[in-house]
Amino acid sequence: MSPLFPRYEILQQTFGTPYSLGGRPKSNAPKPGNGATPYQARLELYPAYSIVDDTKNKAKRLSAEATKEFEAASQKAQASAGKIELYSAKYYAACTVGGLMACGLTHTAVTPLDLVKTRRQVDSKLYSGNFMAWRHIFRTEGVRGIFTGWGPTFFGYSAQGAFKYGWYEYFKKTYSDLAGPQAAYKYKTVLYLSASASAEFLADIALCPFEAIKVRMQATIPSQYKGTLDGLSQITGKEGIAGLYKGLYPLWGRQIPYTMMKFASFETIVEKIYERLPGTKDDYSKAAQTGVSFVGGYLAGILCAIVSHPADVMVSKLNANRKAGEAFGAVTSRIYKEIGFSGLWNGLPVRIVMIGTLTGLQWMIYDYFKIFMGLPTTGGGAPVAEKK
């Protein structure tokens, strides 16, 4: 009569692991009498658990090696830069570089999302869905077409990120000193909003020329410019320098509320997370702190996308459809009559995904760079002690 279950040797040959020694292994179980069962700690009898443990051990080793390499590179960079005092010129320079990396890399990485979003904002009937759009672009324009506009995106958002994060740290400290420690903590949300609005006002001046090139490249099929330099040359040749800044007002209207929400909500969310975790922020590893930064940034990004989306649609429409010499008020009124209130929300779902991911990654990269340079991560600090 055939056995109901396969023999152990057959199972071992089929699902064997590094723990398998061929044939039935000898038992290493403790001798009876000490409270242990005959099968205790015999991992070779449980191949699935053996595989999981082996994978976990390998992951731990890789993590330890990566951490060691990161710390070595960090120490080398800190030795080269010298000691960085908080709120010194070196500190603001480090924050500027961190912001440049955080925004430039992440915005460039999501260029395919931004391309579809922009084209659907300019012409909502162009594509029936995001995946259909990518398939169509890939078939007609190739891989290069999917990344249309990556050049001005990289240069523009690198400059914007450098200005935004660097000036935010500066204005936050400056306004805090003007208010005093007690008032600054009591009205910290107002402080975050004011500092971020001031920083974004300056950052958008750096971003606007590249945003104009990017939108025109993405909104026209095929793209009317070969690249960033070609776009700069053609726009300034036909419209002068003013042509690069004709979208500045709606860009401020989009980016300033966006950044105010991004920084104020991030700081608040991170603070609330640490309040609900046991211990204080300093009790957690740097890796755990950057994990909190990502979560806080992602949640903040969702709010940012909703607040700034109508202005984002207007920026795309204005850069693509504004006629030469047309006044800002006139073109805004004309575009609104064409698309209506519902048209201001075209492309919102894809932008929520894009901005949530972007913002989470930006804060994580920014705080990782601060750790790399020996600086504390953003947000979640202890409250100021009250004077008696």
Side-chain angles (χ1 to χ4, degrees), residues 110-345:
V110 297
T111 298
L113 277 170
D114 190 45
L115 170 65
V116 173
K117 172 191 71 71
T118 300
R119 287 185 176 178
R120 294 188 72 183
Q121 287 175 344
V122 173
D123 184 359
S124 61
K125 299 178 181 178
L126 185 60
Y127 305 120
S128 60
N130 297 325
F131 290 103
M132 176 269 183
W134 288 315
R135 284 196 300 269
H136 179 77
I137 294 169
F138 179 75
R139 285 198 304 267
T140 57
E141 304 174 52
V143 175
R144 187 173 182 178
I146 293 176
F147 284 89
T148 298
W150 76 266
T153 297
F154 175 75
F155 292 115
Y157 283 94
S158 292
Q160 186 231 26
F163 276 65
K164 176 159 57 179
Y165 282 87
W167 282 112
Y168 173 71
E169 298 284 359
Y170 173 79
F171 285 124
K172 185 167 72 168
K173 173 62 175 172
T174 300
Y175 295 162
S176 178
D177 289 343
L178 289 173
Q182 298 297 329
Y185 183 76
K186 184 177 181 180
Y187 301 106
K188 56 191 172 185
T189 302
V190 175
L191 176 69
Y192 302 147
L193 293 171
S194 302
S196 57
S198 301
E200 188 60 41
F201 179 86
L202 299 175
D204 287 344
I205 296 174
L207 170 63
C208 193
F210 299 98
E211 183 74 1
I213 298 168
K214 177 187 77 74
V215 170
R216 294 189 192 191
M217 286 181 69
Q218 293 180 338
T220 55
I221 305 173
S223 176
Q224 58 184 304
Y225 308 132
K226 297 178 181 178
T228 307
L229 294 178
D230 183 50
L232 281 171
S233 176
Q234 288 198 43
I235 292 175
T236 53
K238 295 176 182 177
E239 306 171 45
I241 298 297
L244 297 171
Y245 284 94
K246 69 181 185 180
L248 182 60
Y249 292 154
L251 187 64
W252 274 332
R254 180 189 79 184
Q255 288 297 128
I256 290 177
Y258 166 89
T259 301
M260 292 170 72
M261 179 64 73
K262 173 180 178 177
F263 282 84
S265 60
F266 172 80
E267 297 260 16
T268 303
I269 290 169
V270 167
E271 182 181 342
K272 296 300 181 184
I273 290 174
Y274 283 117
E275 282 180 0
R276 282 159 176 74
L277 291 174
T280 63
K281 174 183 174 180
D282 295 334
D283 295 330
Y284 294 89
S285 67
K286 298 301 183 183
Q289 290 183 27
T290 53
V292 171
S293 297
F294 177 79
V295 173
Y298 196 95
L299 295 175
I302 294 173
L303 300 175
C304 294
I306 296 171
V307 166
S308 62
H309 192 73
D312 184 61
V313 173
M314 291 300 295
V315 169
S316 298
K317 287 281 191 181
L318 190 146
N319 277 305
N321 299 325
R322 189 175 185 179
K323 301 173 183 177
E326 190 174 15
F328 173 73
V331 67
T332 302
S333 176
R334 175 173 62 81
I335 291 172
Y336 184 78
K337 287 179 180 178
E338 291 174 359
I339 64 175
F341 180 78
S342 61
L344 294 174
W345 303 98

